[in-house]
Amino acid sequence: MAAVTETIEAVQSVAEGGYKWGFETDIEMEFAPKGLNEDIVRFISAKKNEPAWLLEWRLKAFALWQTMEEPDWAAVNYPKIDYQDAYYYAAPKNKQGPKSLDEVDPELLRTYDKLGIPLREQAILAGVEGAGDSPSEGRMPIAIDAVFDSVSVATSYKERLAKDGIIFCAISEAVQEHPELVRKYLGSVVPQADNYFAALNSAVFTDGSFVYIPKGVKCPMELSTYFRINAKSTGQFERTLIIADEGSKVSYLEGCTAPMRDENQLHAAVVELVLLDDATIKYSTVQNWYPGDAEGRGGIYNFVTKRAACRGARSKVSWTQVETGSAITWKYPSCILQGDDSVGEFYSVAITNNRQQADTGTKMFHIGARTKSTIVSKGISAGRGQNTYRGLVKISPKAIGARNFTQCDSLLIGDECGAHTVPYIENRCMSAKVEHEATTSRIAEDQLFYCRQRGLTQEEAVGLIVNGFCREVLKELPMEFAVEAQKLLAISLEGSVG
Amino acid sequence: MNAIVNNNAAGLLGRADALATPAWAAETRAAGIAALRAHGLPTRRAEAFRYTDLAQVAQASFGENSPMGARGLGMPSLPLTRGAARLVFVDGVLRGDLSSLPPRPLSDAQALLGGLTSLPTQPIAAMNAALFEDGLFLDVPEGEDAGLVELVCVVTGARGAIGFHPRHVLRLGRRAKLTLLDTSDGAAGLAYLHNPVFEISLDEGAELAHVRIQREGRAAFHLSSVHCAIAAGATYDNFTLNAGGRLARNEIHAALNGPKAMCHMNGAQLVGDGQHADTTTVLHHAAPDCGSRQTYKTVLTGKSRGVFQGKILVSKPAQRTDGYQMNQALLLSEEAEMDSKPQLEIYADDVKCSHGATVGALDPAQLFYLRSRGIPQQAARSMLVEAFLTEATEGVGDEACRAALSEAVTAWWAQERA
Amino acid sequence: MLRIEGLTAEIDGKAILRGIDLEVPSGELHAIMGPNGSGKSTLSYVLSGREGYEITGGSVTFNGVDLLAMEPEERAAAGVFLAFQYPVELPGVGNANFLRTALNAQRRHRGENEVDAMQFLKLARARMKELSMPEDMLKRGVNVGFSGGEKKRNEVLQMALLSPKLAILDETDSGLDIDALKIVSEGVNALRSPAFSALIITHYQRLLDYIVPDRVHVLMAGRIVKSGGPELALALEASGYASVAA
């Protein structure tokens, strides 16, 4: 079987060049019937053995979703999605959830190995990429929750983390083990009716990660979730909930890939972060869903709602995202800065090549006094890609002394692509100060020539210049991720110059 | 034209249906009515109007239009007389007796009417198309410098709270030049509507400086829209002072259609207690090697709201575009709100485009610097506000226009600081 | 003229000045030297009344009047002038307009006649010539687009025009080349008189070669740890602040 997937991979890499995560794992799967209705919602809830309140919560979300309309304000175009023509539940056949890594299907472990995601605790060394071939000592291990289609298949380092009182597990497990926390916070940041895709997710979410960091605890290692879509005609609807109690601190990473297919697959996730007094969450994403081929066939529709509620004073949330994948990205990680002196940050690199479209940005709601936000967005358009920054900075009258600084830069490579900037600034507080700057430019001929004269190829030169353009954002990533992200940038732009 | 209308523009449509329409205006009128009938007036659900709700204009009712060429009202006190060629509208009526420029009938501009507007998405222009009756037509022949022309619009209240929808058409031939100073004034406390639309065509190498002073009475509605097509090597230079009215929106839609065309759009918004002022610009770079510069400044006092929306659209052929836009707002009151939405939409790669926006109070470091030199707090604040506004107006090239602007700004600030 | 007793001040709850005692008699120039973070700039801002500093103890009198009770503009009118380390840019405010407004505000406050535009221009031009400043600096926005040296010269020009009783020079020498340093120093020396005092805050001995102080004080961690004559500055230059602290 492995030989088959390798052959497929080899053939596809010849055809495709760049996307090396596009293989498919052959594993026995269990599906819900195709389509979406109340019975499917009940089916998912029953599969997860959920309590009645959660089923009701899902059904309410489904009822709301049916009354809502798909948003059309983003600068993205795609054919109408047939929500009945997809599976909403797909999981490797394995009656009980795996209790330990030894019980995980070896085929799955091989899949994650191949993706460069080390699930075995002893194997965790460094770097998302190339673990095992460059054992480096003294690096912090990374605890990983691996979500495969609709379910979490493994979570590493749980016991080690539990010693500090940290809960890190699949959200379906948290529903069973920590219902009071889930019930208190689920939907408290992104309510069911928040938007069309959040409502859909609330109805049919299947898994995702749950994190609770207790008072005063600094999480001793990076936490990470790796999302993998594998099955055909399947949507992935995961839900992540992170609660950082008073004075706690955590850095969380997420990564994602999917096989290469001609069909479009929907990924509609919801991420909710809750921060109490003096808590800090650093949330980093390297989004590398299959982007579709050069002609725009296939690829993931990545319609995601991410939001952090800084409820406590002096809490701080930092979103960093590197968006290189997906056919369409629709994503606005946001900060509700409610606690006095709370801080929100958004650092983003988004690349669109070939026929990719991205409409991404952030919303900063300044409610508390002296709240501060920083937005740095770098958009790169190549091929026939369309790249839009869309952001809102809203200052309420009570946000005395609030500050925002926004920098949006766009880089165009080639004359078939587009780069757009749509900031909204709404200030109702006299003592607040909002500053916004945006620029659009291209890689100058003399920059390219200078690099090439020093011996770089055209593509190396572009990679170098683009990495320089993104430096302010990349430096916000945890080190291992930053290296991975730099390589991704170069790969994503392959074939864009010439 | 008498189909039952069931939208918020019913009142306006009723007035439009009652108008006698000469043949030359029929097509434009019909298009305006059709757009209003289909879409009504926008509410805040419409993206272009998310900060300015025209529904309140729909709720107001305005007196009927004047019969064309009505005469015989009293002599109003005119805001300016500077010896320039002048066209004067009083209470919606063109007053030949007060004008020094022989008016050319708007019917002569039939071929140009409606050519630059896109009514289904431009409700302010649609309202004008449905209800316009008269306006200025200036056609400057090739190579001619027409100097300074003043367009004066005054609403005295002698005919009540009128709805006044003039359509002004300007065409400048190749290398022709014109400076147009256009002022709108009106009686305080009167809830009239002034809804002017400008259609401007600039041929190759033409230069138009267009200075607008909007100083309507504080209860009035001012909804204006400028549409300008700029040919190769031509320059359109607009400065708009948006100071009057309860609700004022100025839209500018400019297109750089030929290589090396240039567009400057600058302005100041002075927004006092109870006012809502909106400047919305859409600048389309459609040809290569064009440049554009925009600087807008807004000062807000009392309970007021300022809006700036500015879009720069660069189409694929518009290589080597150089576009810049800056909007800055000063909040001088706890009850003021400023909403800014600058926007770049770019489809060409060899471009240099940037925008910036700032919103905030006076800079405490600057205030302290002035006070440390012995200047009392109030005077220091005043100095900084005046400097902020002077920066906006000092770029206006025509001396008479600059003086008029500076006078209007000074008068406003003198009144606000008191 | 200036008497500081037991002055303590903090920013955001952090104590910066921890008990300053200092007296500057009429006609004397005193230098304050100290390493980064010793509180030099805080002292200059506290004396000139900038917001954001909390005075937690002590007193400052200026010719017998409580300086700390006065607004910044009242201190200026009373004759206290701060030459800023980082002069503030005022876009749109013409330099000439600014200077005349400031001069007349102070004169008015002291019950003197205002100077008209002609008198002012004459006065300003004369001073600018002494400071080798091009005349177009009067027309430009205050400090806008000025080089570092031009900004500092503009501070000295203001000082010359406003003729204060006490000038506080906050690192006026930083960012100046040797020619500019000479010009600025001559500007200060020209004001020397029995009725003029100055507090010269600096990192380096260099400035004191040109403006010779009557006394030198060493400020460390918010306190004056040593005082002496001009020779103290030379000793500091030779052996560093650490030797003083020891």
Side-chain angles (χ1 to χ4, degrees):
Chain A
M1 269 188 297
V4 175
T5 48
E6 270 164 31
T7 308
I8 293 169
E9 193 193 357
V11 169
Q12 280 171 334
S13 70
V14 168
E16 193 44 47
Y19 199 73
K20 59 177 180 174
W21 306 266
F23 63 89
E24 191 174 332
T25 304
D26 192 353
I27 190 166
E28 215 182 334
M29 297 289 284
E30 179 184 8
F31 290 91
K34 221 176 200 182
L36 182 54
N37 52 50
E38 250 191 52
D39 288 342
I40 295 292
V41 176
R42 289 178 194 279
F43 175 92
I44 293 168
S45 188
K47 269 283 158 203
K48 307 263 168 198
N49 197 22
E50 285 175 355
W53 68 264
L54 189 50
L55 173 62
E56 274 163 39
W57 193 83
R58 286 175 179 277
L59 289 171
K60 187 182 160 202
F62 184 68
L64 286 164
W65 179 71
Q66 286 177 301
T67 67
M68 295 168 89
E69 278 175 38
E70 200 168 325
D72 60 358
W73 41 261
V76 295
N77 286 301
Y78 55 92
K80 208 160 167 46
I81 297 172
D82 181 355
Y83 289 91
Q84 298 305 333
D85 189 29
Y87 295 106
Y88 287 81
Y89 182 84
K93 267 197 178 155
N94 185 338
K95 291 277 185 278
Q96 310 292 319
K99 291 284 179 287
S100 75
L101 283 169
D102 300 338
E103 293 172 67
V104 175
D105 188 323
E107 190 59 35
L108 279 176
L109 291 181
R110 268 196 293 279
T111 300
Y112 283 90
D113 273 353
K114 204 157 147 187
L115 292 168
I117 308 303
L119 288 181
R120 290 185 187 84
E121 295 190 4
Q122 69 275 19
I124 295 172
L125 291 166
V128 178
E129 166 104 355
D133 52 31
S134 61
S136 52
E137 285 159 27
R139 287 266 182 84
M140 262 296 162
I142 301 172
I144 290 171
D145 182 23
V147 176
F148 191 83
D149 287 327
S150 301
V151 291
S152 166
V153 293
T155 309
S156 62
Y157 284 100
K158 273 165 78 172
E159 289 73 26
R160 165 67 189 84
L161 292 167
K163 279 185 202 154
D164 289 326
I166 295 168
I167 305 168
F168 178 44
C169 64
I171 199 159
S172 53
E173 192 180 328
V175 169
Q176 306 299 331
E177 307 291 328
H178 310 282
E180 68 301 334
L181 283 173
V182 176
R183 198 168 182 178
K184 182 169 176 190
Y185 289 109
L186 185 75
S188 75
V189 185
V190 180
Q192 290 138 300
D194 189 80
N195 66 69
Y196 186 79
F197 299 113
L200 177 62
N201 173 286
S202 301
V204 303
F205 76 91
T206 46
D207 225 328
S209 302
F210 177 84
V211 178
Y212 173 77
I213 314 286
K215 269 184 198 172
V217 172
K218 311 258 180 287
C219 186
M221 62 179 86
E222 304 271 356
L223 304 185
S224 172
T225 303
Y226 193 86
F227 296 100
R228 174 74 177 168
I229 293 178
N230 186 63
K232 275 199 182 89
S233 307
T234 308
Q236 192 177 54
F237 305 91
E238 88 272 3
R239 186 127 194 154
T240 297
L241 175 57
I242 301 179
I243 302 142
D245 213 327
E246 290 171 20
S248 68
K249 194 170 180 181
V250 64
S251 170
Y252 179 93
L253 327 168
E254 81 183 346
C256 28
T257 57
M260 296 195 283
R261 293 215 176 84
D262 280 353
E263 60 172 5
N264 295 111
Q265 287 177 280
L266 179 61
H267 172 254
V270 170
V271 175
E272 297 179 278
L273 311 184
V274 178
L275 296 92
L276 305 183
D277 284 357
D278 300 293
T280 301
I281 297 178
K282 184 172 176 61
Y283 193 108
S284 312
T285 303
V286 174
Q287 186 268 101
N288 187 24
W289 294 118
Y290 178 54
D293 69 11
E295 296 310 313
R297 280 184 301 258
I300 302 293
Y301 291 166
N302 189 37
F303 299 160
V304 173
T305 304
K306 294 183 169 182
R307 194 173 302 151
C310 287
R311 299 205 175 131
R314 297 167 303 280
S315 56
K316 177 180 174 184
V317 67
S318 180
W319 296 103
T320 305
Q321 60 174 30
V322 175
E323 305 281 322
T324 60
S326 296
I328 300 175
T329 296
W330 180 99
K331 180 183 172 190
Y332 315 91
S334 304
C335 304
I336 302 170
L337 303 170
Q338 199 178 344
D340 288 349
D341 300 289
S342 58
V343 176
E345 296 175 340
F346 174 75
Y347 298 97
S348 170
V349 168
I351 291 195
T352 53
N353 195 1
N354 297 321
R355 301 261 181 180
Q356 283 178 277
Q357 306 173 54
D359 194 297
T360 184
T362 184
K363 297 181 198 175
M364 296 288 178
F365 298 93
H366 289 258
I367 299 164
R370 298 172 303 281
T371 46
K372 248 174 80 179
S373 65
T374 304
I375 299 170
V376 178
S377 163
K378 305 281 178 175
I380 299 143
S381 307
R384 292 167 182 269
Q386 296 294 328
N387 203 325
T388 301
Y389 167 82
R390 190 182 301 276
L392 168 69
V393 175
K394 187 168 184 148
I395 315 256
S396 79
K398 286 181 183 153
I400 290 157
R403 290 278 178 277
N404 160 267
F405 177 74
T406 301
Q407 174 77 46
C408 291
D409 297 315
S410 302
L411 193 65
L412 292 128
I413 303 174
D415 62 359
E416 299 285 336
C417 53
H420 319 303
T421 313
V422 193
Y424 297 78
I425 301 163
E426 304 176 6
N427 188 353
R428 297 181 62 195
C429 179
M430 182 173 90
S431 60
K433 190 171 174 187
V434 182
E435 288 176 274
H436 170 100
E437 288 173 25
T439 65
T440 300
S441 55
R442 67 164 184 170
I443 297 179
E445 290 297 337
D446 56 350
Q447 292 175 312
L448 277 179
F449 176 71
Y450 187 83
C451 295
R452 296 180 72 187
Q453 205 285 320
R454 295 291 184 268
L456 276 70
T457 64
Q458 179 96 337
E459 292 206 334
E460 284 168 337
V462 169
L464 189 78
I465 292 164
V466 167
N467 270 308
F469 175 75
C470 301
R471 209 179 59 92
E472 281 167 274
V473 174
L474 296 178
K475 73 177 170 52
E476 295 296 322
L477 285 172
M479 227 234 303
E480 293 83 355
F481 253 38
V483 174
E484 174 74 354
Q486 284 196 9
K487 288 185 201 158
L488 263 181
L489 294 186
I491 292 169
S492 303
L493 289 170
E494 268 173 22
S496 64
V497 194
Chain B
M1 285 289 155
N2 287 319
I4 293 163
V5 175
N6 194 15
N7 72 26
N8 68 358
L12 294 167
L13 284 163
R15 280 174 51 214
D17 282 344
L19 289 174
T21 305
W24 60 267
E27 196 185 326
T28 305
R29 170 98 70 242
I33 288 173
L36 278 191
R37 204 178 288 278
H39 306 288
L41 289 181
T43 64
R44 292 183 56 187
R45 278 197 299 275
E47 177 63 22
F49 287 84
R50 71 184 273 137
Y51 299 121
T52 297
D53 192 347
L54 292 193
Q56 57 173 309
V57 177
Q59 283 152 22
S61 69
F62 306 104
E64 62 190 48
N65 283 35
S66 57
M68 289 212 181
R71 291 287 156 94
L73 292 164
M75 177 81 158
S77 61
L78 291 177
L80 319 148
T81 315
R82 289 174 199 280
R86 195 168 74 225
L87 232 84
V88 180
F89 286 83
V90 178
D91 292 315
V93 181
L94 176 62
R95 291 281 296 267
D97 56 327
L98 301 175
S99 303
S100 63
L101 192 72
R104 192 167 165 194
L106 194 60
S107 53
D108 286 2
Q110 186 181 358
L112 298 167
L113 274 182
L116 300 177
T117 54
S118 166
L119 301 185
T121 57
Q122 294 168 348
I124 289 176
M127 193 191 303
N128 175 283
L131 289 152
F132 82 102
E133 289 190 275
D134 210 341
L136 162 77
F137 176 39
L138 274 177
D139 189 1
V140 186
E142 179 172 342
E144 195 171 298
D145 184 347
L148 175 65
V149 171
E150 278 183 80
L151 170 63
V152 180
C153 295
V154 186
V155 175
T156 63
R159 293 180 51 243
I162 57 166
F164 171 35
H165 310 262
R167 168 74 57 132
H168 307 300
V169 179
L170 281 79
R171 179 172 59 193
L172 272 65
R174 297 157 67 98
R175 297 180 313 282
K177 282 186 189 175
L178 172 69
T179 299
L180 178 68
L181 173 59
D182 127 43
T183 54
S184 305
D185 287 81
L190 187 67
Y192 62 93
L193 166 66
H194 185 192
N195 169 219
V197 165
F198 289 82
E199 289 193 89
I200 302 171
S201 310
L202 305 179
D203 289 350
E204 284 80 0
E207 290 174 37
L208 173 62
H210 186 187
V211 175
R212 310 191 61 211
I213 298 178
Q214 186 279 101
R215 202 167 34 190
E216 310 281 7
R218 283 242 181 146
F221 298 96
H222 180 95
L223 302 173
S224 74
S225 165
V226 175
H227 305 261
C228 183
I230 309 164
T235 301
Y236 180 59
D237 189 344
N238 176 298
F239 187 98
T240 303
L241 181 72
N242 202 18
R246 154 177 25 164
L247 181 139
R249 168 144 160 153
N250 282 304
E251 291 184 8
I252 306 175
H253 303 262
L256 294 152
N257 293 331
K260 299 192 174 160
M262 187 74 203
C263 184
H264 298 272
M265 300 198 277
N266 301 306
Q269 303 197 97
L270 313 176
V271 203
D273 193 45
Q275 290 184 286
H276 178 118
D278 175 339
T279 291
T280 293
T281 68
V282 180
L283 180 57
H284 184 186
H285 278 264
D289 300 299
C290 294
S292 62
R293 293 284 176 276
Q294 298 181 56
T295 304
Y296 285 92
K297 304 228 177 193
T298 304
V299 176
L300 298 116
T301 67
K303 188 169 167 53
S304 63
R305 188 161 180 192
V307 177
F308 173 80
Q309 305 184 107
K311 177 168 166 175
I312 300 176
L313 167 66
V314 180
S315 295
K316 199 176 154 190
Q319 294 293 357
R320 296 171 300 282
T321 284
D322 183 357
Y324 171 81
Q325 178 196 80
M326 174 53 99
N327 88 85
Q328 296 174 304
L330 260 187
L331 297 178
L332 298 180
S333 142
E334 297 286 358
E335 293 178 297
E337 170 171 359
M338 180 72 199
D339 302 308
S340 292
K341 187 187 162 198
Q343 192 176 343
L344 297 170
E345 190 173 333
I346 294 171
Y347 298 94
D349 64 334
D350 188 3
V351 297
K352 230 172 59 190
C353 275
S354 61
H355 67 218
T358 62
V359 186
L362 290 171
D363 181 353
Q366 294 183 339
L367 269 177
F368 174 68
Y369 192 73
L370 288 167
R371 293 178 72 194
S372 80
R373 296 295 177 258
I375 299 169
Q377 174 126 353
Q378 278 312 314
R381 283 170 60 88
S382 211
M383 255 180 124
L384 291 176
V385 173
E386 281 163 22
F388 180 78
L389 291 169
T390 303
E391 274 194 306
T393 56
E394 70 189 359
V396 173
D398 182 84
E399 215 170 302
C401 293
R402 197 169 58 241
L405 282 169
S406 157
E407 198 179 293
V409 169
T410 308
W412 179 81
W413 179 239
Q415 187 190 331
E416 287 299 320
R417 61 189 288 198
Chain C
M1 174 169 303
L2 178 72
R3 182 193 294 271
I4 305 174
E5 283 176 343
L7 181 65
T8 58
E10 54 183 52
I11 309 172
D12 297 332
K14 191 170 170 255
I16 308 289
L17 302 182
R18 297 156 182 269
I20 304 250
D21 293 288
L22 179 67
E23 186 164 1
V24 184
S26 275
E28 289 193 8
L29 269 56
H30 288 208
I32 294 193
M33 302 183 72
N36 277 332
S38 57
K40 302 192 300 292
S41 284
T42 298
L43 178 61
S44 69
Y45 285 138
V46 164
L47 292 178
S48 55
R50 186 171 165 148
E51 281 172 32
Y53 299 87
E54 196 180 346
I55 317 287
T56 48
S59 66
V60 179
T61 57
F62 184 64
N63 290 329
V65 184
D66 180 3
L67 192 66
L68 300 179
M70 296 159 84
E71 292 294 319
E73 58 267 31
E74 293 171 340
R75 299 182 200 204
V80 176
F81 179 92
L82 170 65
F84 284 60
Q85 185 182 358
Y86 304 107
V88 179
E89 297 187 6
L90 303 173
V93 179
N95 213 12
N97 176 29
F98 163 69
L99 286 168
R100 193 161 76 89
T101 307
L103 181 63
N104 281 334
Q106 293 195 22
R107 294 178 69 95
R108 220 171 24 246
H109 196 270
R110 296 192 292 255
E112 298 164 9
N113 288 334
E114 296 186 17
V115 295
D116 66 27
M118 289 307 291
Q119 290 170 300
F120 170 78
L121 270 182
K122 223 172 127 185
L123 211 62
R125 282 189 185 133
R127 292 282 182 270
M128 290 179 77
K129 212 169 159 191
E130 289 163 16
L131 290 163
S132 311
M133 291 169 69
E135 212 175 281
D136 76 330
M137 277 175 75
L138 274 181
K139 292 188 194 130
R140 286 150 67 181
V142 179
N143 295 326
V144 178
F146 286 26
S147 71
E150 284 176 329
K151 282 182 183 171
K152 294 296 170 74
R153 263 184 277 179
N154 199 26
E155 294 292 287
V156 175
L157 170 68
Q158 292 174 40
M159 183 169 72
L161 280 169
L162 298 172
S163 37
K165 296 194 178 79
L166 171 72
I168 304 163
L169 279 68
D170 189 0
E171 305 212 10
T172 299
D173 50 334
S174 68
L176 287 188
D177 63 30
I178 203 79
D179 291 336
L181 190 66
K182 278 185 189 159
I183 291 166
V184 166
S185 304
E186 279 161 20
V188 176
N189 288 329
L191 291 173
R192 280 196 169 202
S193 81
F196 175 78
S197 315
L199 212 48
I200 301 155
I201 294 173
T202 182
H203 248 325
Y204 305 107
Q205 139 75 19
R206 192 177 70 150
L207 178 67
L208 306 182
D209 288 341
Y210 299 94
I211 308 174
V212 181
D214 297 292
R215 300 281 292 165
V216 174
H217 310 277
V218 180
L219 185 66
M220 289 181 79
R223 284 193 189 88
I224 289 174
V225 294
K226 195 163 191 172
S227 300
E231 72 286 349
L232 177 58
L234 291 168
L236 281 172
E237 184 82 354
S239 51
Y241 292 114
S243 67
V244 179

